[in-house]
Coordinates of all heavy atoms in Angstrom, one line a residue:
Chain A
Q1 N 53.6 -67.0 5.1 CA 52.7 -66.3 4.3 C 51.2 -66.9 4.2 O 50.2 -66.3 4.2 CB 53.3 -66.0 3.0 CG 52.6 -65.1 2.0 CD 52.6 -63.7 2.4 OE1 53.4 -63.4 3.2 NE2 51.8 -62.8 2.0
N2 N 51.4 -68.2 4.2 CA 50.1 -69.1 4.2 C 49.4 -68.9 5.4 O 48.1 -68.8 5.4 CB 50.5 -70.5 4.0 CG 49.3 -71.3 3.5 OD1 48.5 -70.7 2.6 ND2 49.3 -72.5 3.7
S3 N 49.9 -68.8 6.6 CA 49.2 -68.6 7.8 C 48.8 -67.2 8.0 O 47.7 -66.9 8.5 CB 50.1 -69.0 9.0 OG 51.0 -67.9 9.3
F4 N 49.3 -66.2 7.3 CA 49.0 -64.8 7.2 C 47.7 -64.9 6.6 O 46.8 -64.1 6.9 CB 50.1 -64.0 6.4 CG 49.7 -62.7 6.0 CD1 49.3 -61.7 6.8 CD2 49.6 -62.5 4.7 CE1 48.9 -60.4 6.4 CE2 49.1 -61.1 4.2 CZ 48.8 -60.3 5.0
I5 N 47.5 -65.6 5.4 CA 46.4 -65.4 4.6 C 45.2 -66.1 5.4 O 44.1 -65.6 5.4 CB 46.5 -66.2 3.3 CG1 47.5 -65.3 2.3 CG2 45.2 -66.5 2.5 CD1 48.1 -66.0 1.1
K6 N 45.6 -67.2 6.1 CA 44.4 -67.8 6.9 C 44.0 -66.9 8.0 O 42.8 -66.9 8.3 CB 45.1 -69.2 7.5 CG 45.0 -70.4 6.8 CD 45.3 -71.6 7.7 CE 45.4 -72.9 6.8 NZ 46.1 -73.8 7.6
T7 N 44.9 -66.2 8.7 CA 44.7 -65.2 9.7 C 43.6 -64.2 9.3 O 42.6 -63.8 9.8 CB 45.9 -64.7 10.3 OG1 46.7 -65.7 10.9 CG2 45.7 -63.7 11.4
L8 N 43.9 -63.7 8.0 CA 43.1 -62.6 7.5 C 41.8 -63.1 7.3 O 40.7 -62.4 7.5 CB 43.8 -62.1 6.2 CG 44.8 -60.9 6.5 CD1 45.3 -60.4 5.1 CD2 44.3 -59.8 7.2
H9 N 41.6 -64.4 6.7 CA 40.3 -64.9 6.4 C 39.5 -65.1 7.6 O 38.4 -64.8 7.9 CB 40.4 -66.2 5.6 CG 40.7 -66.0 4.2 ND1 39.8 -65.4 3.3 CD2 41.8 -66.4 3.4 CE1 40.3 -65.4 2.1 NE2 41.5 -65.9 2.0
N10 N 40.3 -65.6 8.7 CA 39.7 -65.8 10.0 C 39.1 -64.4 10.7 O 38.1 -64.3 11.2 CB 40.7 -66.5 10.9 CG 40.3 -66.9 12.3 OD1 39.0 -67.0 12.4 ND2 41.1 -66.9 13.3
K11 N 40.0 -63.4 10.5 CA 39.7 -62.1 10.9 C 38.4 -61.6 10.3 O 37.6 -60.9 10.8 CB 40.7 -61.1 11.0 CG 41.9 -61.3 11.9 CD 43.0 -60.4 12.1 CE 43.8 -60.7 13.2 NZ 45.1 -59.9 13.6
R12 N 38.2 -61.8 9.0 CA 37.2 -61.4 8.2 C 35.9 -62.1 8.8 O 34.8 -61.4 9.0 CB 37.4 -61.8 6.8 CG 36.1 -61.5 5.9 CD 36.3 -61.0 4.5 NE 37.0 -62.0 3.8 CZ 37.7 -61.6 2.6 NH1 37.5 -60.4 2.1 NH2 38.4 -62.6 2.0
S13 N 36.0 -63.4 9.2 CA 34.9 -64.1 9.6 C 34.4 -63.5 11.0 O 33.3 -63.4 11.4 CB 35.1 -65.6 9.9 OG 35.6 -66.1 8.8
L14 N 35.4 -63.2 11.9 CA 35.2 -62.7 13.2 C 34.5 -61.4 13.1 O 33.4 -61.0 13.8 CB 36.5 -62.5 13.9 CG 37.2 -63.6 14.4 CD1 38.5 -63.4 15.1 CD2 36.3 -64.4 15.5
L15 N 35.0 -60.5 12.0 CA 34.4 -59.1 11.9 C 33.0 -59.3 11.3 O 32.0 -58.5 11.8 CB 35.1 -58.3 10.9 CG 36.6 -57.9 11.5 CD1 37.4 -57.2 10.3 CD2 36.4 -57.0 12.6
E16 N 32.6 -60.2 10.4 CA 31.3 -60.5 10.1 C 30.4 -60.8 11.2 O 29.3 -60.3 11.4 CB 31.3 -61.7 9.1 CG 31.5 -61.2 7.7 CD 31.7 -62.5 6.6 OE1 31.5 -63.6 7.2 OE2 32.1 -62.2 5.4
G17 N 30.9 -61.7 12.2 CA 30.1 -62.1 13.4 C 29.8 -60.8 14.3 O 28.8 -60.7 14.8
F18 N 30.9 -60.0 14.4 CA 30.6 -58.7 15.1 C 29.6 -57.9 14.6 O 28.8 -57.3 15.3 CB 32.0 -57.9 15.2 CG 33.1 -58.6 15.9 CD1 34.5 -58.1 15.8 CD2 33.0 -59.8 16.7 CE1 35.5 -58.8 16.4 CE2 34.0 -60.6 17.3 CZ 35.3 -60.0 17.2
I19 N 29.5 -57.8 13.3 CA 28.4 -57.0 12.7 C 27.0 -57.7 12.9 O 26.2 -56.9 13.3 CB 28.7 -56.8 11.1 CG1 29.9 -55.9 10.8 CG2 27.5 -56.3 10.4 CD1 30.3 -55.6 9.4
E20 N 27.0 -58.9 12.8 CA 25.7 -59.6 13.3 C 25.3 -59.4 14.7 O 24.2 -59.1 14.9 CB 25.9 -61.1 13.0 CG 26.0 -61.7 11.5 CD 24.9 -60.9 10.6 OE1 23.7 -61.1 10.9 OE2 25.2 -60.3 9.6
Q21 N 26.2 -59.4 15.5 CA 26.0 -59.0 16.9 C 25.5 -57.7 17.2 O 24.3 -57.4 17.8 CB 27.2 -59.1 17.8 CG 27.7 -60.4 18.2 CD 29.0 -60.4 19.0 OE1 29.1 -59.5 19.8 NE2 29.9 -61.3 18.7
L22 N 25.9 -56.8 16.4 CA 25.7 -55.2 16.4 C 24.3 -55.0 15.7 O 23.5 -54.0 16.2 CB 26.7 -54.3 15.8 CG 28.0 -54.2 16.5 CD1 29.1 -53.7 15.6 CD2 27.8 -53.4 17.7
K23 N 23.8 -56.0 14.9 CA 22.5 -55.7 14.3 C 21.4 -56.1 15.2 O 20.2 -55.7 14.9 CB 22.5 -56.6 12.9 CG 23.2 -55.9 11.8 CD 23.2 -56.9 10.6 CE 23.9 -56.3 9.4 NZ 24.0 -57.4 8.3
I24 N 21.7 -56.9 16.1 CA 20.7 -57.3 17.0 C 20.0 -56.3 18.1 O 20.9 -55.4 18.6 CB 21.1 -58.7 18.0 CG1 21.5 -59.9 17.1 CG2 20.1 -59.1 19.0 CD1 22.4 -60.9 17.8
Chain B
I1 N 37.0 -49.2 29.5 CA 36.7 -48.3 28.5 C 35.3 -48.5 27.9 O 35.0 -49.6 27.5 CB 37.7 -48.3 27.1 CG1 39.1 -48.0 27.7 CG2 37.3 -47.2 26.2 CD1 40.2 -48.2 26.6
P2 N 34.4 -47.6 28.1 CA 32.9 -47.9 27.6 C 33.0 -47.8 26.0 O 33.7 -47.1 25.5 CB 32.1 -46.8 28.3 CG 33.0 -45.8 28.5 CD 34.3 -46.2 28.7
P3 N 31.9 -48.5 25.3 CA 31.7 -48.3 23.9 C 31.5 -46.8 23.6 O 30.8 -46.1 24.3 CB 30.6 -49.2 23.6 CG 30.3 -50.0 24.7 CD 30.9 -49.4 25.9
S4 N 32.0 -46.3 22.5 CA 31.7 -44.9 22.1 C 31.0 -44.7 20.8 O 30.8 -43.6 20.3 CB 33.1 -44.2 22.1 OG 33.9 -44.6 21.2
L5 N 30.7 -45.8 20.1 CA 30.0 -45.7 18.8 C 28.6 -46.3 19.0 O 28.3 -47.2 19.7 CB 30.8 -46.5 17.9 CG 32.1 -46.1 17.4 CD1 32.7 -47.3 16.5 CD2 32.3 -44.8 16.7
S6 N 27.6 -45.7 18.1 CA 26.4 -46.3 18.1 C 26.5 -47.6 17.2 O 27.5 -47.7 16.5 CB 25.4 -45.4 17.3 OG 25.9 -45.2 16.0
S7 N 25.5 -48.5 17.2 CA 25.7 -49.8 16.4 C 25.8 -49.4 14.9 O 26.7 -50.1 14.3 CB 24.5 -50.6 16.7 OG 24.3 -51.0 18.0
S8 N 25.1 -48.5 14.5 CA 25.2 -48.3 13.0 C 26.6 -47.6 12.7 O 27.2 -48.0 11.6 CB 24.1 -47.4 12.5 OG 24.1 -46.1 13.2
Q9 N 27.2 -46.9 13.6 CA 28.4 -46.3 13.2 C 29.5 -47.4 13.3 O 30.4 -47.5 12.5 CB 28.8 -45.2 14.4 CG 28.2 -43.9 14.1 CD 28.5 -43.1 15.5 OE1 28.5 -43.5 16.6 NE2 28.6 -41.7 15.1
A10 N 29.4 -48.3 14.3 CA 30.3 -49.4 14.5 C 30.2 -50.3 13.2 O 31.2 -50.8 12.7 CB 30.0 -50.1 15.8
I11 N 29.1 -50.7 12.8 CA 28.9 -51.4 11.6 C 29.6 -50.8 10.4 O 30.3 -51.6 9.7 CB 27.3 -51.8 11.3 CG1 26.8 -52.6 12.4 CG2 27.2 -52.3 10.0 CD1 25.2 -52.9 12.3
E12 N 29.3 -49.6 10.2 CA 30.1 -48.9 9.1 C 31.5 -49.0 9.1 O 32.1 -49.3 8.1 CB 29.5 -47.4 9.0 CG 28.2 -47.1 8.4 CD 28.0 -48.0 7.0 OE1 28.8 -47.8 6.2 OE2 27.0 -48.7 7.0
L13 N 32.0 -48.7 10.3 CA 33.5 -48.8 10.4 C 34.1 -50.2 10.3 O 35.2 -50.3 9.7 CB 34.0 -48.2 11.8 CG 33.7 -46.6 11.9 CD1 34.2 -46.2 13.3 CD2 34.6 -45.9 10.8
I14 N 33.3 -51.1 10.8 CA 33.9 -52.5 10.6 C 33.8 -53.0 9.2 O 34.8 -53.6 8.7 CB 33.1 -53.5 11.5 CG1 33.3 -53.2 13.1 CG2 33.4 -55.0 11.3 CD1 32.3 -54.0 14.0
K15 N 32.7 -52.6 8.5 CA 32.6 -52.8 7.0 C 33.7 -52.2 6.3 O 34.3 -52.8 5.4 CB 31.3 -52.4 6.6 CG 30.1 -53.3 6.8 CD 28.8 -52.8 6.1 CE 27.7 -53.7 6.3 NZ 26.4 -53.1 5.9
K16 N 34.1 -51.0 6.6 CA 35.2 -50.4 6.1 C 36.5 -51.0 6.1 O 37.3 -51.2 5.3 CB 35.4 -49.0 6.5 CG 35.1 -47.8 5.6 CD 35.1 -46.5 6.3 CE 36.5 -45.8 6.1 NZ 36.7 -44.5 6.8
Q17 N 36.7 -51.6 7.5 CA 38.0 -52.4 7.7 C 38.0 -53.6 6.9 O 38.8 -54.2 6.3 CB 38.1 -52.8 9.2 CG 38.3 -51.6 10.1 CD 39.6 -50.8 9.6 OE1 39.4 -49.7 9.0 NE2 40.8 -51.4 9.7
M18 N 36.7 -54.4 6.7 CA 36.6 -55.6 6.0 C 36.9 -55.5 4.5 O 37.4 -56.3 3.9 CB 35.2 -56.2 6.1 CG 35.0 -56.7 7.4 SD 33.3 -57.3 7.8 CE 33.1 -58.7 6.6
E19 N 36.5 -54.2 4.0 CA 36.7 -53.9 2.5 C 38.2 -54.0 2.1 O 38.5 -54.1 1.0 CB 36.1 -52.6 2.1 CG 34.6 -52.6 2.0 CD 33.9 -51.3 2.0 OE1 34.5 -50.3 2.0 OE2 32.6 -51.3 2.1
Q20 N 39.0 -53.7 3.3 CA 40.4 -53.6 2.8 C 41.1 -54.9 3.0 O 42.4 -55.0 2.5 CB 41.2 -52.5 3.8 CG 40.7 -51.2 3.7 CD 41.1 -50.3 4.8 OE1 42.2 -50.2 5.1 NE2 40.1 -49.7 5.5
I21 N 40.4 -56.0 3.3 CA 41.1 -57.3 3.5 C 41.6 -57.9 2.1 O 42.8 -58.4 2.1 CB 40.2 -58.3 4.2 CG1 40.0 -57.7 5.7 CG2 40.7 -59.6 4.2 CD1 39.1 -58.7 6.5
D22 N 40.7 -57.6 1.1 CA 41.2 -58.2 -0.2 C 42.5 -57.5 -0.6 O 43.4 -58.3 -1.1 CB 40.2 -57.9 -1.3 CG 39.0 -59.0 -1.2 OD1 39.3 -60.0 -0.6 OD2 38.0 -58.7 -1.6
K23 N 42.8 -56.3 -0.4 CA 44.0 -55.7 -0.8 C 45.2 -56.2 0.1 O 46.3 -56.2 -0.4 CB 43.8 -54.0 -0.5 CG 44.9 -53.1 -1.0 CD 44.7 -51.7 -0.5 CE 45.0 -51.6 1.1 NZ 44.4 -50.3 1.5
L24 N 44.9 -56.4 1.4 CA 45.9 -56.8 2.3 C 46.4 -58.2 1.9 O 47.5 -58.5 2.0 CB 45.4 -56.8 3.7 CG 44.9 -55.5 4.5 CD1 44.4 -55.8 5.8 CD2 46.1 -54.5 4.5
L25 N 45.4 -59.0 1.4 CA 45.8 -60.4 1.0 C 46.8 -60.4 -0.2 O 47.6 -61.4 -0.3 CB 44.5 -61.1 0.4 CG 43.6 -61.5 1.7 CD1 42.3 -62.0 1.0 CD2 44.2 -62.8 2.5
Q26 N 47.1 -59.2 -0.9 CA 48.0 -59.2 -1.8 C 49.5 -58.7 -1.3 O 50.4 -58.8 -2.0 CB 47.6 -58.1 -3.0 CG 46.2 -58.1 -3.4 CD 45.9 -59.5 -4.2 OE1 46.7 -60.0 -4.8 NE2 44.8 -60.0 -3.8
L27 N 49.4 -58.3 0.0 CA 50.7 -57.9 0.6 C 51.5 -59.0 1.3 O 50.8 -60.0 1.6 CB 50.3 -56.6 1.5 CG 49.7 -55.5 0.9 CD1 49.3 -54.5 2.1 CD2 50.5 -54.9 -0.1
H28 N 52.6 -58.7 1.6 CA 53.4 -59.5 2.5 C 53.1 -59.2 4.0 O 52.7 -58.2 4.2 CB 54.9 -59.3 2.3 CG 55.8 -60.3 2.9 ND1 56.2 -60.3 4.3 CD2 56.2 -61.6 2.6 CE1 56.9 -61.3 4.6 NE2 56.8 -62.2 3.6
C29 N 53.1 -60.3 4.8 CA 52.6 -60.2 6.1 C 53.4 -59.2 6.9 O 52.9 -58.5 8.0 CB 52.6 -61.6 6.9 SG 54.1 -62.4 6.8
D30 N 54.7 -58.8 6.5 CA 55.5 -57.8 7.2 C 55.1 -56.5 6.7 O 55.8 -55.5 7.2 CB 57.0 -58.2 6.9 CG 57.4 -59.3 7.6 OD1 56.8 -59.8 8.6 OD2 58.3 -60.0 7.2
D31 N 54.3 -56.3 5.7 CA 54.1 -55.0 5.2 C 53.5 -54.1 6.3 O 52.5 -54.5 7.1 CB 53.1 -55.0 4.1 CG 53.1 -53.7 3.3 OD1 52.6 -52.8 3.8 OD2 53.4 -53.8 2.0
P32 N 54.1 -52.8 6.5 CA 53.6 -51.9 7.6 C 52.0 -51.7 7.3 O 51.3 -51.4 8.5 CB 54.3 -50.7 7.4 CG 55.3 -50.9 6.4 CD 55.1 -52.3 5.8
E33 N 51.4 -51.8 6.2 CA 50.0 -51.5 5.9 C 49.3 -52.4 6.8 O 48.1 -52.1 7.3 CB 49.7 -51.7 4.5 CG 50.1 -50.4 3.6 CD 49.4 -49.0 4.2 OE1 48.1 -49.2 4.4 OE2 50.1 -48.1 4.5
V34 N 49.8 -53.7 6.8 CA 49.0 -54.9 7.6 C 49.0 -54.5 9.1 O 47.9 -54.7 9.7 CB 49.8 -56.2 7.3 CG1 49.1 -57.3 8.1 CG2 49.7 -56.6 5.9
R35 N 50.1 -54.0 9.7 CA 50.1 -53.7 11.1 C 49.2 -52.5 11.3 O 48.4 -52.5 12.3 CB 51.4 -53.4 11.4 CG 51.8 -52.8 12.8 CD 51.4 -53.7 13.9 NE 51.8 -55.2 13.9 CZ 51.1 -56.1 14.6 NH1 50.2 -55.7 15.4 NH2 51.5 -57.3 14.5
K36 N 49.2 -51.6 10.4 CA 48.3 -50.4 10.6 C 46.9 -50.9 10.5 O 46.1 -50.3 11.4 CB 48.6 -49.4 9.4 CG 49.1 -48.2 9.8 CD 49.6 -47.3 8.6 CE 48.5 -46.7 7.9 NZ 48.9 -45.8 6.6
W37 N 46.5 -51.6 9.6 CA 45.1 -52.0 9.5 C 44.7 -52.9 10.8 O 43.6 -52.6 11.3 CB 45.0 -53.1 8.3 CG 43.7 -53.8 8.1 CD1 42.6 -53.1 7.6 CD2 43.2 -54.9 8.8 NE1 41.5 -53.9 7.8 CE2 41.8 -55.0 8.3 CE3 43.7 -55.9 9.4 CZ2 41.0 -56.1 8.7 CZ3 43.1 -57.1 9.7 CH2 41.7 -57.0 9.4
D38 N 45.6 -53.8 11.3 CA 45.3 -54.4 12.5 C 45.1 -53.6 13.6 O 44.1 -53.8 14.4 CB 46.4 -55.5 12.7 CG 45.9 -56.7 13.4 OD1 44.8 -57.2 13.0 OD2 46.8 -57.4 14.0
N39 N 45.9 -52.6 13.8 CA 45.9 -51.7 15.0 C 44.6 -50.9 14.8 O 43.8 -50.7 15.8 CB 47.0 -50.7 15.1 CG 48.3 -51.4 15.5 OD1 48.3 -52.4 16.0 ND2 49.4 -50.9 15.1
L40 N 44.2 -50.4 13.6 CA 42.9 -49.6 13.6 C 41.8 -50.5 13.8 O 40.7 -50.1 14.4 CB 42.8 -49.0 12.1 CG 41.8 -48.1 11.8 CD1 41.7 -46.8 12.9 CD2 42.0 -47.5 10.4
T41 N 41.8 -51.7 13.3 CA 40.6 -52.6 13.5 C 40.4 -53.0 15.0 O 39.3 -52.9 15.4 CB 40.8 -54.0 12.8 OG1 41.2 -53.7 11.4 CG2 39.8 -55.0 12.8
E42 N 41.4 -53.1 15.7 CA 41.3 -53.2 17.1 C 40.7 -52.0 17.8 O 39.9 -52.1 18.7 CB 42.8 -53.6 17.8 CG 43.1 -55.0 17.9 CD 44.2 -55.2 18.9 OE1 44.4 -54.6 20.0 OE2 45.1 -56.1 18.6
Q43 N 41.1 -50.9 17.3 CA 40.7 -49.5 18.0 C 39.1 -49.5 17.6 O 38.4 -49.2 18.6 CB 41.2 -48.3 17.3 CG 42.7 -48.1 17.8 CD 42.9 -48.1 19.3 OE1 42.2 -47.4 20.0 NE2 43.8 -49.0 19.9
V44 N 38.7 -50.0 16.4 CA 37.3 -50.0 16.0 C 36.5 -50.8 16.9 O 35.5 -50.5 17.4 CB 37.1 -50.2 14.6 CG1 35.6 -50.4 14.2 CG2 37.6 -49.1 13.7
I45 N 37.0 -51.9 17.1 CA 36.4 -53.0 18.1 C 36.3 -52.5 19.5 O 35.2 -52.6 20.2 CB 37.1 -54.4 18.1 CG1 37.2 -55.0 16.7 CG2 36.7 -55.3 19.1 CD1 38.1 -56.2 16.4
I46 N 37.3 -51.9 19.9 CA 37.3 -51.2 21.4 C 36.2 -50.0 21.3 O 35.3 -50.1 22.3 CB 38.6 -50.6 21.8 CG1 39.7 -51.7 22.0 CG2 38.4 -49.7 23.0 CD1 41.0 -51.3 22.1
R47 N 36.1 -49.3 20.3 CA 34.9 -48.3 20.2 C 33.6 -48.8 20.1 O 32.7 -48.2 20.6 CB 35.4 -47.3 19.3 CG 36.6 -46.4 19.6 CD 37.2 -45.6 18.4 NE 36.2 -44.6 18.0 CZ 36.2 -44.1 16.7 NH1 37.1 -44.4 15.8 NH2 35.3 -43.1 16.4
A48 N 33.6 -50.0 19.4 CA 32.3 -50.5 19.2 C 31.8 -51.3 20.4 O 30.6 -51.2 20.7 CB 32.3 -51.6 18.0
F49 N 32.6 -52.0 21.1 CA 32.1 -53.0 22.2 C 32.7 -52.5 23.6 O 32.3 -53.1 24.7 CB 32.5 -54.3 21.9 CG 32.0 -55.0 20.6 CD1 32.7 -55.1 19.5 CD2 30.8 -55.4 20.7 CE1 32.1 -55.6 18.3 CE2 30.1 -55.9 19.5 CZ 30.8 -56.0 18.3
G50 N 33.8 -51.5 23.8 CA 34.3 -51.3 25.0 C 35.5 -52.3 25.3 O 35.7 -53.3 24.5
K51 N 36.1 -51.8 26.3 CA 37.3 -52.9 26.7 C 37.3 -52.9 28.1 O 37.1 -51.8 29.0 CB 38.5 -52.1 26.2 CG 39.8 -52.8 26.5 CD 41.1 -52.1 26.0 CE 42.4 -52.9 26.3 NZ 43.5 -52.2 25.8
P52 N 37.5 -54.0 28.9 CA 37.7 -55.4 28.2 C 36.4 -55.9 27.7 O 35.3 -55.6 28.0 CB 38.1 -56.2 29.4 CG 37.5 -55.7 30.5 CD 37.4 -54.3 30.3
H53 N 36.5 -56.8 26.6 CA 35.3 -57.4 25.9 C 35.7 -58.7 25.2 O 36.9 -58.7 24.7 CB 34.7 -56.5 24.9 CG 33.3 -57.0 24.4 ND1 33.1 -58.0 23.5 CD2 32.1 -56.6 24.8 CE1 31.9 -58.3 23.3 NE2 31.1 -57.3 24.1
D54 N 35.0 -59.8 25.3 CA 35.3 -61.1 24.7 C 35.6 -60.9 23.2 O 36.6 -61.6 22.7 CB 34.1 -62.1 24.9 CG 34.1 -62.6 26.2 OD1 35.0 -62.3 27.1 OD2 33.0 -63.3 26.6
N55 N 34.9 -60.1 22.6 CA 35.2 -59.9 21.2 C 36.6 -59.4 20.8 O 37.2 -59.8 19.9 CB 34.2 -58.9 20.4 CG 32.9 -59.5 20.2 OD1 32.7 -60.7 20.5 ND2 31.8 -58.7 20.1
L56 N 37.0 -58.5 21.8 CA 38.4 -57.9 21.6 C 39.4 -59.0 21.8 O 40.4 -59.1 21.1 CB 38.6 -56.8 22.5 CG 39.9 -56.1 22.5 CD1 40.2 -55.5 21.2 CD2 40.2 -55.0 23.6
D57 N 39.1 -59.8 22.9 CA 40.1 -61.0 23.1 C 40.2 -62.0 22.0 O 41.3 -62.4 21.6 CB 39.6 -61.6 24.5 CG 39.6 -60.8 25.7 OD1 40.4 -59.9 25.7 OD2 39.1 -61.1 26.7
V58 N 39.0 -62.3 21.5 CA 39.0 -63.2 20.4 C 39.7 -62.7 19.1 O 40.5 -63.4 18.4 CB 37.5 -63.5 20.0 CG1 37.4 -64.4 18.8 CG2 36.9 -64.4 21.1
Y59 N 39.5 -61.4 18.9 CA 40.1 -60.8 17.7 C 41.7 -60.8 17.9 O 42.5 -61.2 17.0 CB 39.6 -59.4 17.4 CG 40.3 -58.7 16.2 CD1 39.8 -59.2 14.9 CD2 41.4 -57.9 16.4 CE1 40.4 -58.5 13.8 CE2 42.0 -57.4 15.3 CZ 41.6 -57.7 14.0 OH 42.2 -57.2 12.9
S60 N 42.0 -60.4 19.1 CA 43.6 -60.2 19.4 C 44.3 -61.5 19.4 O 45.6 -61.6 19.0 CB 43.7 -59.5 20.7 OG 43.0 -58.2 20.8
S61 N 43.7 -62.6 19.7 CA 44.3 -63.8 19.7 C 44.2 -64.6 18.4 O 44.8 -65.7 18.2 CB 43.8 -64.8 20.9 OG 42.5 -64.9 20.7
A62 N 43.4 -64.0 17.4 CA 43.3 -64.6 16.1 C 44.6 -64.6 15.3 O 45.3 -63.7 15.4 CB 42.1 -64.1 15.3

């Protein structure tokens, strides 16, 4: 469950990065 | 597969997926909602960037 939470936080960071790419 | 969304459409859909993460954090990792969210998020990434794409690989291996 702990790694699940880490994974979701990691995915959130990735998605934030994808949005930044799309803004360029 | 080429991208099928404009940048602004892609941003909106990715934001929508991100908004659901807090709710998912309350669930168990085996909850079908989690799998559903993950599959939909992958579809959004494919529509935003196309397939194959580094972003899709990075996301899938996360």
